[in-house]
Amino acid sequence: SVDAVLVGVGTVLMDNPALTVRTGAGLEKLTSQQPLRIVVDSRLRIPLKAQILALQDKARTLLATTAAAPVARRLALQKKGIEVLIVPAVHDQVSLPALLKELGRRGITSLLVEGGGEVNAAMLRAELVDHVRLYMAPLLLGGQNAKGVIGGVSPTGLKGAIQLCHVTTRLVGNDLVVEGDL
């Protein structure tokens, strides 16, 4: 239901996702319509054998990087048929507003950000998020080194929290889904 799905390179390095839409009992069959898969990777650290780089004939991948990424690495990825987009950098990171402007120029009007905490925090900090859909499994994880859904620096109090409006909740299997607008 979206034009594109975006993750950061940290998610690729940690989880090695395919980011494809699949059906069937074991979710093994690719659907005919696939969103553009986007990886934000300022230095092109993505492994050449990452799943997200496979199946380019059925599901295209766009790597958003900066001019600081190694040219040899960019050429190796392009040789595999991967589109590498050079985006302006802000503090040595891909400028997310510039990336979204380019995606808009390409006709991408809906984007699912399925990133880790740092990408989520960067999108929220840049005020690029319209709607949040949070899936919560009935599993409790924690500890001082636990990763949060939103990375970056924590607000010092509740006044600094991001407030959702028009909130709805529903169950999907055993998971609780909380949705709201910003």
Side-chain angles (χ1 to χ4, degrees):
S1 65
V2 297
D3 297 329
V5 180
L6 180 143
V7 296
V9 70
T11 295
V12 174
L13 294 171
M14 190 71 120
D15 300 337
N16 195 21
L19 293 185
T20 53
V21 181
R22 298 175 301 276
T23 61
L27 296 179
E28 68 282 344
K29 183 179 177 196
L30 288 180
T31 63
S32 60
Q33 279 193 305
Q34 294 291 324
L36 175 65
R37 304 175 295 178
I38 303 168
V39 180
V40 177
D41 186 356
S42 299
R43 299 269 189 249
L44 290 181
R45 298 183 299 141
I46 190 167
L48 292 175
K49 294 190 184 253
Q51 285 193 83
I52 200 165
L53 301 179
L55 305 169
Q56 289 301 304
D57 57 329
K58 295 181 174 72
R60 294 182 309 114
T61 302
L62 170 76
L63 297 179
T65 192
T66 66
V71 173
R73 186 80 169 159
R74 183 176 62 207
L75 293 173
L77 288 158
Q78 289 172 328
K79 188 175 180 182
K80 287 181 60 107
I82 310 300
E83 182 181 3
V84 179
L85 175 67
I86 306 296
V87 180
V90 176
H91 305 295
D92 297 325
Q93 301 294 316
V94 167
S95 166
L96 294 173
L99 173 59
L100 266 57
K101 276 186 184 176
E102 175 58 27
L103 295 176
R105 278 194 286 275
R106 294 174 179 221
I108 294 172
T109 60
S110 59
L111 175 68
L112 171 64
V113 178
E114 200 168 319
E118 296 307 315
V119 168
N120 293 341
M123 293 292 288
L124 288 165
R125 197 171 36 253
E127 298 181 354
L128 299 172
V129 179
D130 295 325
H131 187 80
V132 172
R133 181 178 299 143
L134 179 64
Y135 290 82
M136 298 186 315
L139 303 169
L140 299 177
L141 297 171
Q144 291 181 346
N145 62 345
K147 295 271 186 182
V149 173
I150 301 171
V153 178
S154 299
T156 57
L158 289 178
K159 286 184 181 178
I162 298 169
Q163 180 71 45
L164 298 178
C165 57
H166 308 111
V167 176
T168 62
T169 59
R170 62 188 163 94
L171 286 175
V172 174
N174 289 328
D175 295 346
L176 175 66
V177 181
V178 178
E179 291 190 65
D181 299 324
L182 282 133

